C-alpha cells in the first residue's frame, strides 16, 4: 500500500515540475523580448515586482493553461503569448491524461483479485444470458460464485504450480491446517501420511440440497468436510446419520471397489476437499496401516447404516484369490517343509525313506490336481517336483 501512495506522489510531483518549467517559460519569453507593452507581464505591471510575485503569477498562468480552466488574468494579447498558451495547454492535457491513466491503474492494482472476480462474474452473467438459463438456475449459479470465491478470484493452481515442490507443500499444508486440526483421522496419523494426502486434495463447494454422492454409482473420489453438514440418505429416503466438520465419507467404495452403498446430500453450504481414487490408492499403498484403519471405520459405518460389514473382509479375500498361483505354490512348499522336518526327527534311515515315500504319495495327488492350473515351470527341479519325483 505504501508503494502505491509513493507512485501517486511521484506522479503529482512530476506534474508540478512540468508546471514550474511552463511558468518559467511564460516569464522568460517576454523578458527576452524586453517586456513589450502587450505582453502579460506589462499588462499586469510586474516588470519591477519582487521575484516571488512574478513567479507566482507566471505559475498561475501556466497552471491555468495546463488545466484548461482559463488564460490567467488576461487572455493572450500577442502571437507569442498565444503560442505559449497553446504549448501549455498541450503539455497540460498530456499530463492530465497520464495522471488519469496511472491513477486508474494504481487503484485497480490495489485489489486485482476483486477486479478479476468482477470480470469473472460478468462473463458468467453473459454466458447465462446467452444460454437463456432459467431464473432460479441463474440465482443458484450467482450464489455459488459468491460463496466459493468470497468476492476475490485467484488462479491458485497456476500460482502453486510456479513454486518449488517444498514451498508448494508448505503452502498447501498451511492452507489446510484447519482441516487437519478438525479431522480426528489426521490427528493421530503419521505426519508424512497427512502431508501426502493434503497435497493431493482438491477444494470443492456444494450448495444445500446438492447430491454429492448417489447410491449405486461407481466411486471416483472420497471427501473430507472442512465446513458444513451432510446427510447420509438410504434408498428409501431415510436419513441414516449426519456428518459435519472434520468428518470424511466416500471411502467405502474406494476400499472395496464396489458401488456406492448410500447417497450423500448437502444439508448446508459445504466446503469439502476431495481425494481421487488414484491418489487414494497411491497413498494407502505406501501406508498399509492407515488402510487397515480406514477399513475398520468403513466396516463400522456399514453396520450403522444397515449394510453387511463383511464386505470389507470379502475384499481382503478377493485380493488373495486374485493371485491363486502364488498362494498354491506357497501351500505346496509349506507342506513339503513340514514333511522334511518330520523326516529329521527319525533316526532310522529306512524309516525316513519310507516316510518320505509315504509323504510323497500323500501329497502327489493334490499336487497333480493343481499342477495343470499352474504355469509351466522353468526349473528342472520344480518340474521333477510336480511330476511326482524327488529332485
Amino acid at each position: 500500500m505504501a508503494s502505491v501512495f509513493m507512485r501517486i506522489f511521484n506522479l503529482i510531483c512530476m506534474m508540478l515540475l512540468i508546471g514550474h518549467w511552463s511558468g518559467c517559460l511564460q516569464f522568460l519569453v517576454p523578458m527576452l523580448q524586453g517586456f513589450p507593452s502587450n505582453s502579460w507581464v506589462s499588462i499586469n505591471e510586474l516588470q519591477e515586482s519582487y521575484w516571488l510575485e512574478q513567479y507566482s503569477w507566471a505559475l498561475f498562468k501556466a497552471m491555468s493553461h495546463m488545466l484548461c480552466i482559463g488564460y490567467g488574468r488576461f487572455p493572450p494579447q500577442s502571437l507569442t503569448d498565444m503560442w505559449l498558451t497553446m504549448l501549455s495547454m498541450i503539455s497540460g492535457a498530456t499530463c492530465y491524461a497520464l495522471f488519469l491513466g496511472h491513477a486508474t491503474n494504481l487503484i485497480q492494482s490495489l485489489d486485482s483479485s476483486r477486479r478479476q472476480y468482477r470480470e469473472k462474474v460478468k462473463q458468467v452473467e453473459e454466458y447465462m444470458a446467452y444460454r437463456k438459463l432459467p431464473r432460479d438456475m441463474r440465482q443458484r449459479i450467482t450464489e455459488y460464485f459468491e460463496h466459493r470465491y468470497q468476492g476475490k478470484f485467484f488462479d491458485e493452481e497456476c500460482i502453486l504450480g510456479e513454486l518449488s515442490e517444498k514451498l508448494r507443500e508448505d503452502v498447501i499444508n498451511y492452507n489446510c491446517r484447519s482441516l487437519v486440526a478438525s479431522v480426528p483421522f489426521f490427528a493421530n496419523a503419521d505426519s508424512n501420511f497427512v502431508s501426502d494426502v493434503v497435497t493431493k486434495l482438491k477444494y470443492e463447494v456444494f450448495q444445500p440440497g446438492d447430491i454429492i454422492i448417489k447410491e449405486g454409482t461407481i466411486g471416483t473420489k472420497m471427501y473430507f468436510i472442512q465446513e458444513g453438514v451432510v446427510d447420509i440418505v438410504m434408498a428409501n429416503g431415510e436419513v441414516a446419520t449426519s456428518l459435519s466438520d472434520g468428518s470424511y465419507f466416500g471411502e467405502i467404495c474406494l476400499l472395496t471397489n464396489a458401488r456406492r452403498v448410500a447417497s450423500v446430500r448437502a444439508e448446508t453450504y459445504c466446503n469439502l476437499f476431495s481425494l481421487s481414487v488414484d491418489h487414494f490408492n497411491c497413498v494407502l499403498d505406501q501406508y498399509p496401516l492407515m488402510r487397515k484403519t480406514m477399513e475398520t471405520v468403513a466396516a463400522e459405518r456399514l453396520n450403522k447404516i444397515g449394510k453387511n460389514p463383511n464386505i470389507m473382509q470379502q475384499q481382503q479375500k478377493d485380493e488373495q484369490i486374485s493371485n491363486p498361483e502364488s498362494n498354491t505354490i506357497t501351500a505346496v512348499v509349506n507342506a513339503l517343509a513340514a514333511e522334511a522336518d518330520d523326516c529329521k526327527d527319525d533316526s532310522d534311515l529306512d524309516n525316513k525313506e519310507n516316510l518320505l515315500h509315504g509323504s510323497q504319495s500323500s501329497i502327489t495327488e493334490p499336487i497333480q490336481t493343481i499342477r495343470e492350473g499352474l504355469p509351466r515351470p522353468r526349473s528342472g527341479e520344480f518340474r521333477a517336483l510336480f511330476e511326482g519325483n524327488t529332485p
Side-chain angles (χ1 to χ4, degrees):
M1 184 65 70
S3 61
V4 173
F5 284 114
M6 285 301 301
R7 292 175 62 184
I8 295 177
F9 177 76
N10 292 336
L11 184 61
I12 294 175
C13 291
M14 185 190 69
M15 293 185 62
L16 293 177
L17 179 61
I18 295 176
H20 164 75
W21 290 341
S22 178
C24 293
L25 185 64
Q26 293 284 345
F27 189 84
L28 177 63
V29 172
M31 184 181 68
L32 295 176
Q33 293 177 343
F35 297 121
S37 59
N38 60 349
S39 67
W40 71 272
V41 178
S42 300
I43 295 175
N44 289 278
E45 301 178 352
L46 298 175
Q47 298 93 326
E48 304 297 332
S49 299
Y50 186 59
W51 70 269
L52 181 59
E53 183 179 1
Q54 293 175 342
Y55 175 76
S56 299
W57 281 108
L59 182 62
F60 171 73
K61 183 177 179 64
M63 296 300 293
S64 298
H65 298 165
M66 291 179 63
L67 298 177
C68 300
I69 59 176
Y71 302 103
R73 292 185 63 183
F74 301 99
Q77 301 295 322
S78 65
L79 184 63
T80 303
D81 283 349
M82 183 181 66
W83 279 104
L84 289 175
T85 300
M86 288 190 298
L87 180 63
S88 296
M89 288 182 175
I90 293 173
S91 62
T94 303
C95 290
Y96 185 68
L98 291 174
F99 177 80
L100 288 181
H102 280 75
T104 301
N105 291 333
L106 290 175
I107 293 174
Q108 289 182 348
S109 65
L110 291 176
D111 200 352
S112 61
S113 60
R114 188 174 296 276
R115 176 177 56 83
Q116 292 181 19
Y117 171 77
R118 289 195 294 266
E119 293 177 355
K120 188 73 173 181
V121 171
K122 184 63 176 178
Q123 292 180 6
V124 173
E125 291 176 349
E126 293 177 356
Y127 169 80
M128 293 188 296
Y130 175 75
R131 292 299 182 182
K132 297 181 175 59
L133 299 182
R135 185 177 299 274
D136 58 339
M137 186 177 295
R138 296 188 186 189
Q139 182 66 24
R140 289 177 57 199
I141 294 175
T142 302
E143 293 176 354
Y144 174 86
F145 273 88
E146 291 177 354
H147 180 85
R148 170 156 188 167
Y149 296 107
Q150 301 292 320
K152 294 180 179 291
F153 181 80
F154 301 96
D155 190 354
E156 192 168 15
E157 293 184 0
C158 179
I159 295 174
L160 296 178
E162 296 179 355
L163 301 178
S164 65
E165 183 177 355
K166 181 60 172 63
L167 186 57
R168 179 169 58 253
E169 180 178 336
D170 292 341
V171 172
I172 294 176
N173 285 330
Y174 181 80
N175 292 339
C176 297
R177 65 191 185 281
S178 59
L179 173 69
V180 174
S182 62
V183 177
F185 176 72
F186 287 147
N188 301 322
D190 182 9
S191 59
N192 293 327
F193 169 77
V194 176
S195 180
D196 287 344
V197 172
V198 168
T199 53
K200 294 176 174 60
L201 295 179
K202 181 180 179 181
Y203 181 70
E204 297 187 31
V205 174
F206 292 90
Q207 294 177 295
D210 287 351
I211 302 298
I212 304 174
I213 288 178
K214 188 175 182 180
E215 182 178 1
T217 59
I218 299 295
T220 58
K221 61 181 71 174
M222 67 171 294
Y223 298 89
F224 296 89
I225 304 177
Q226 182 186 40
E227 182 181 0
V229 178
V230 299
D231 291 335
I232 309 300
V233 184
M234 306 305 298
N236 57 6
E238 179 182 356
V239 176
T241 185
S242 296
L243 302 176
S244 58
D245 302 4
S247 301
Y248 63 90
F249 58 92
E251 80 286 0
I252 296 178
C253 69
L254 302 189
L255 291 168
T256 61
N257 293 325
R259 294 182 179 272
R260 301 287 191 184
V261 297
S263 298
V264 179
R265 182 181 60 209
E267 185 66 19
T268 63
Y269 267 101
C270 295
N271 300 334
L272 309 179
F273 284 92
S274 64
L275 181 66
S276 68
V277 61
D278 294 334
H279 291 156
F280 176 85
N281 292 324
C282 178
V283 173
L284 292 189
D285 287 344
Q286 302 177 25
Y287 302 91
L289 181 60
M290 302 310 299
R291 178 183 289 273
K292 296 295 183 183
T293 302
M294 297 191 73
E295 288 175 349
T296 302
V297 176
E300 294 176 355
R301 290 184 172 180
L302 286 171
N303 186 49
K304 188 173 183 179
I305 63 177
K307 300 292 184 178
N308 183 12
N310 294 330
I311 188 175
M312 302 306 304
Q313 300 178 0
Q314 183 63 34
Q315 172 64 17
Q316 297 177 357
K317 294 180 181 179
D318 292 343
E319 292 178 355
Q320 296 177 355
I321 295 174
S322 63
N323 193 7
E325 296 177 358
S326 62
N327 294 334
T328 305
I329 295 176
T330 302
V332 171
V333 173
N334 291 337
L336 291 174
E339 294 295 340
D341 292 336
D342 292 338
C343 292
K344 291 180 181 180
D345 295 335
D346 297 331
S347 60
D348 188 4
L349 180 60
D350 294 335
N351 292 337
K352 287 196 295 182
E353 292 178 354
N354 294 334
L355 179 59
L356 288 173
H357 184 272
S359 300
Q360 177 183 350
S361 61
S362 63
I363 65 173
T364 298
E365 183 176 354
I367 293 177
Q368 186 66 24
T369 304
I370 64 174
R371 180 173 59 84
E372 297 179 356
L374 296 175
R376 182 177 182 86
R378 297 181 180 178
S379 169
E381 181 180 355
F382 275 95
R383 183 181 299 110
L385 172 65
F386 288 115
E387 289 176 354
N389 300 323
T390 303

